[in-house]
Amino acid sequence: MSSTAPETPPRGFRHASVLLDGAVETLVHDPRGVYLDGTFGRGGHSRAILARLAPEGRLLAIDRDPQAIAEAASIEDPRFIIERTEFARLDELARRHELHGRLAGVLLDVGVSSPQLDDPERGFSFLRDGPLDMRMDPTHGVSAADWLAGAAESDIARVFKTYGEERFAKRLARAVVTRRAERPFTRTADLAEVLKAAHPAWEKGKHPATRAFQALRIHVNGELEQLDEALEAALEALAPGGHLVVISFHSLEDRRVKRFIREHVRGDTDLPRGVPIRDDQLARRLMSLGKARRPTPEEIEANPRARSAVMRAARKLV
């Protein structure tokens, strides 16, 4: 799960890790510590983390995409371990490795990777025809095609509206249900054409199927629920003083990350007014590590998909 953003034509199935230097610099505060990369992707962040670690440092990585796991085999470093699982289960992984409450840092790079978008066979893209799948782990769960085949019109509209922030969700859902009565959707290009024809107001520079495709992907993979669980799991897995670094790529994700950090920075604010209490009694668990960071113009020029990225970071207090 990494770098998602508006689509651009592919230049091979390459992947440029977004906010690479800033994220790794913020994450690795102790070269001898144990870190967790919650989204290995194609290994850009993991390799940069390893380059900063001392010989006694360690890195655990997670990904649910079998292609990412295959890519990880190219890293021959005794300090590195990867496991195929969801990053929502990172606390479970830390416990299994006897690292619960001991991690020096956790990195979460949320979204979909460029190789996933650029490979038509993965079914994420409306620009290149392929099977309508969209699962980050193609061996588990329900594909986008299967979900669209049986979902109620109201549920399709809700997903388009909630996860895609699509103004014309009901209209697009009606078009999908009307067409599937004749023939089920199995290909990305077919769905994109139906959505395109049904959309009444195209945004400049944006394909009219963009928001609906984003919504389907988020729903099929449970991405927002995964993020919520991963943030809570990371907080428990970190050692006091450990760093949490999260890179997100659209407002639905970033709002969750911002709210999570803010709530744990504030602590318990529901106490009655006038009650005398020290700061250390407010159960604050995080300290923000500066303002949100965004890609530089140079990063955006090198990787246009980086333009919507936001990085937030915090240090665990207790």
Side-chain angles (χ1 to χ4, degrees):
M1 283 163 86
S2 58
S3 8
T4 186
E7 299 215 23
T8 56
R11 290 178 293 178
F13 300 159
R14 295 187 296 174
H15 178 69
S17 296
V18 176
L19 290 163
L20 178 64
D21 293 336
V24 174
E25 181 180 349
T26 303
L27 180 74
V28 183
H29 58 97
D30 176 8
R32 298 170 299 174
V34 182
Y35 294 85
L36 188 144
D37 182 353
T39 324
F40 178 81
R42 292 304 180 265
H45 287 120
S46 282
R47 290 182 175 89
I49 293 168
L50 288 167
R52 285 179 173 264
L53 293 185
E56 59 268 44
R58 291 173 59 196
L59 174 63
L60 279 69
I62 293 174
D63 210 295
R64 53 175 162 168
D65 187 334
Q67 292 182 0
I69 300 299
E71 175 67 26
S74 65
I75 297 182
E76 297 180 359
D77 191 318
R79 301 170 299 169
F80 175 74
I81 299 173
I82 188 166
E83 293 203 16
R84 181 176 169 184
T85 188
E86 303 167 342
F87 68 6
R89 303 175 67 179
L90 66 86
D91 187 42
E92 193 178 299
L93 175 66
R95 289 179 186 276
R96 192 160 62 248
H97 288 273
E98 299 182 347
L99 292 168
H100 175 71
R102 296 173 55 197
L103 291 176
V106 173
L107 172 65
L108 302 176
D109 184 4
V110 188
V112 61
S113 70
S114 291
Q116 288 170 329
L117 281 173
D118 292 340
D119 184 354
E121 293 304 308
R122 301 303 302 271
F124 288 101
S125 175
F126 47 77
L127 294 179
R128 291 168 286 282
D129 186 38
L132 185 59
D133 194 311
M134 296 192 184
R135 289 173 294 174
M136 292 181 181
D137 181 351
T139 66
H140 288 86
V142 177
S143 70
D146 288 343
W147 185 77
L148 281 179
E153 181 178 332
S154 59
D155 287 337
I156 298 173
R158 175 183 55 79
V159 165
F160 287 172
K161 177 68 174 177
T162 304
Y163 298 144
E165 299 177 300
E166 173 57 68
R167 287 189 299 152
F168 302 98
K170 291 184 179 179
R171 181 168 181 156
L172 298 188
R174 166 97 311 242
V176 167
V177 171
T178 299
R179 216 311 297 277
R180 82 178 181 192
E182 304 171 5
R183 187 173 75 257
F185 290 98
T186 61
R187 308 289 296 182
T188 55
D190 184 21
L191 176 61
E193 283 302 311
V194 170
L195 294 170
K196 180 179 176 181
H199 206 293
W202 296 10
E203 298 175 59
K204 185 178 180 180
K206 181 175 288 189
H207 192 288
T210 299
R211 295 180 182 275
F213 264 65
Q214 171 187 292
L216 275 174
R217 192 204 79 223
I218 290 173
H219 174 70
V220 164
N221 293 290
E223 291 180 34
L224 298 184
E225 295 82 1
Q226 283 274 322
L227 176 58
D228 289 341
E229 293 178 30
L231 290 170
E232 294 289 352
L235 184 57
E236 298 306 319
L238 282 168
H243 288 191
L244 171 65
V245 178
V246 186
I247 301 171
S248 56
F249 291 83
H250 58 71
S251 59
L252 291 175
E253 299 165 344
D254 185 52
R255 284 198 294 267
R256 278 172 151 77
V257 177
K258 182 179 180 180
R259 182 174 64 245
F260 177 83
I261 292 175
R262 183 179 64 235
E263 288 176 353
H264 287 287
V265 166
R266 288 178 178 174
D268 186 358
T269 58
D270 294 331
L271 297 171
R273 294 183 65 180
V275 174
I277 188 168
R278 301 191 309 271
D279 282 351
D280 62 357
Q281 294 176 307
L282 286 172
R284 293 189 174 108
R285 302 196 67 191
L286 290 174
M287 179 183 76
S288 178
L289 293 175
K291 296 181 179 180
R293 293 182 59 174
R294 289 173 170 79
T296 63
E298 291 75 18
E299 283 185 291
I300 294 173
E301 183 178 359
N303 178 14
R305 285 177 174 155
R307 60 184 175 269
S308 60
V310 180
M311 186 189 90
R312 298 186 186 272
R315 176 184 292 122
K316 181 176 177 178
L317 298 176
V318 292

